[in-house]
Amino acid sequence: MALLRTVGRIGVDAILPPRCGGCGVITETTHAVCADCWAGLRFISAPQCACCGYPFELDDSANIIGGEGVDGRTLCGTCLQKKPAFDCARAALVYDDHSRDYLLRFKHADRTDLTPLLARWLYQCGQGIWDQADLIAPVPLHRRRLLYRRYNQSGLLATKLSKMTGVPWDGLVLGRQRNTRSLGGLGPSSRKREVGGAFAINERRAAQCGLDGARVVLIDDVLTTGATANACARILKQSGALHVSVITVARVVR
Ligand SMILES: [Zn+2]
Ligand SMILES: [Zn+2]
């Protein structure tokens, strides 16, 4: 069977050469992007806020001045002012025209073949988080949106990341009890209102996957104001989660 699979893979590769996950030109390796596309992507790296992951190097406006939190970690001004409900957020990329392009194709254009590429980026930006994690949970889509889109892109990433890290994942422990409007175009307070009460914990699943005392990694596509991540982290903690990290493909940097 394994041999058959190998032969099958060689056959497919011979017919379909690996293509760039960005522009589609033929590349040497599978699940990669070409040099041009790579150059267009802005990966986030240290120094960054120890809590929300805000990259300090991009802060040319100087309107966010970091400082030391009570635990001695370097935090951005926003987190210093009010600590989010999640403990830590990391994103692979700055949300801009390039990263939005990948996410739109992944979400709306049936480009599920981008999963391994995006999962690798998430894996890398979650260094230091995976080895302590107990559970991976994707931010859920409402049933209606799931029917329309046919797959939850965060669920695909969670499955892949679970395979890469050995950390179990559960796509049902965190559910949506109410469909939210699209958050695009809404300000921070409207977003907060819109997602408030939108999520619910499936207590039976929570017991099964040992949510009580667990260190949870939430997976989502974009961190915008953090309203969704906060709402999810809050109810996960109400149901016993000890620590909640959020890992997204991209994050808005203002
Ligand atoms: Zn390319
Ligand atoms: Zn921060």
Side-chain angles (χ1 to χ4, degrees):
M1 196 55 205
L3 177 70
L4 264 181
R5 232 178 283 139
T6 310
V7 171
R9 169 119 40 87
I10 292 168
V12 168
D13 282 350
I15 303 162
L16 296 171
R19 289 184 178 275
C20 167
C23 65
V25 301
I26 291 170
T27 53
E28 276 173 22
T29 41
T30 41
H31 312 312
V33 289
C34 73
D36 283 348
C37 289
W38 183 261
L41 292 166
R42 291 157 73 199
F43 284 90
I44 294 175
S45 57
Q48 56 193 154
C49 170
C51 182
C52 75
Y54 187 94
F56 291 132
E57 53 164 4
L58 295 170
D59 187 30
D60 45 8
S61 63
N63 61 351
I64 296 188
I65 296 158
E68 235 173 60
V70 279
D71 51 1
R73 302 190 303 169
T74 307
L75 302 178
C76 73
T78 314
C79 292
L80 262 183
Q81 228 168 43
K82 189 172 190 288
K83 199 193 161 300
F86 53 80
D87 298 277
C88 153
R90 293 293 179 266
L93 296 161
V94 171
Y95 190 60
D96 59 11
D97 289 347
H98 291 281
S99 55
R100 181 167 48 233
D101 220 47
Y102 283 82
L103 288 170
L104 287 178
R105 270 181 286 143
F106 184 49
K107 277 163 78 167
H108 300 293
D110 270 343
R111 288 292 307 276
T112 51
D113 57 303
L114 288 173
T115 310
L117 176 69
L118 299 182
R120 202 169 63 225
W121 292 345
L122 291 181
Y123 175 78
Q124 277 157 1
C125 79
Q127 293 294 350
I129 293 174
W130 302 117
D131 49 356
Q132 295 181 50
D134 301 307
L135 179 69
I136 299 174
V139 167
L141 284 177
H142 190 268
R143 262 200 312 278
R144 225 178 316 145
R145 208 168 284 171
L146 188 60
L147 275 178
Y148 169 71
R149 212 181 273 163
R150 298 197 301 284
Y151 59 92
N152 176 359
Q153 71 282 354
S154 302
L156 294 181
L157 292 173
T159 318
K160 184 75 188 167
L161 284 163
S162 177
K163 280 201 194 105
M164 294 166 85
T165 59
V167 178
W169 81 285
D170 192 310
L172 294 172
V173 65
L174 185 60
R176 233 180 235 264
Q177 51 185 0
R178 183 164 62 73
N179 204 358
T180 48
R181 284 185 288 161
S182 167
L183 298 183
L186 295 182
S189 55
S190 316
R191 279 171 183 261
K192 198 174 165 193
R193 220 174 309 124
E194 191 60 32
V195 296
F199 301 97
I201 296 290
N202 179 327
E203 295 298 342
R204 195 174 55 84
R205 298 293 291 210
Q208 277 171 357
C209 66
L211 184 62
D212 198 21
R215 300 176 74 90
V216 182
V217 183
L218 266 175
I219 303 294
D220 206 357
D221 48 1
V222 188
L223 186 85
T224 309
T225 62
T228 299
N230 265 320
C232 292
R234 210 167 288 127
I235 63 157
L236 282 166
K237 286 192 169 180
Q238 278 165 12
S239 290
L242 183 71
H243 186 278
V244 178
S245 305
V246 185
I247 299 186
T248 59
V249 177
R251 68 158 291 151
V252 170
V253 173
R254 292 198 178 89

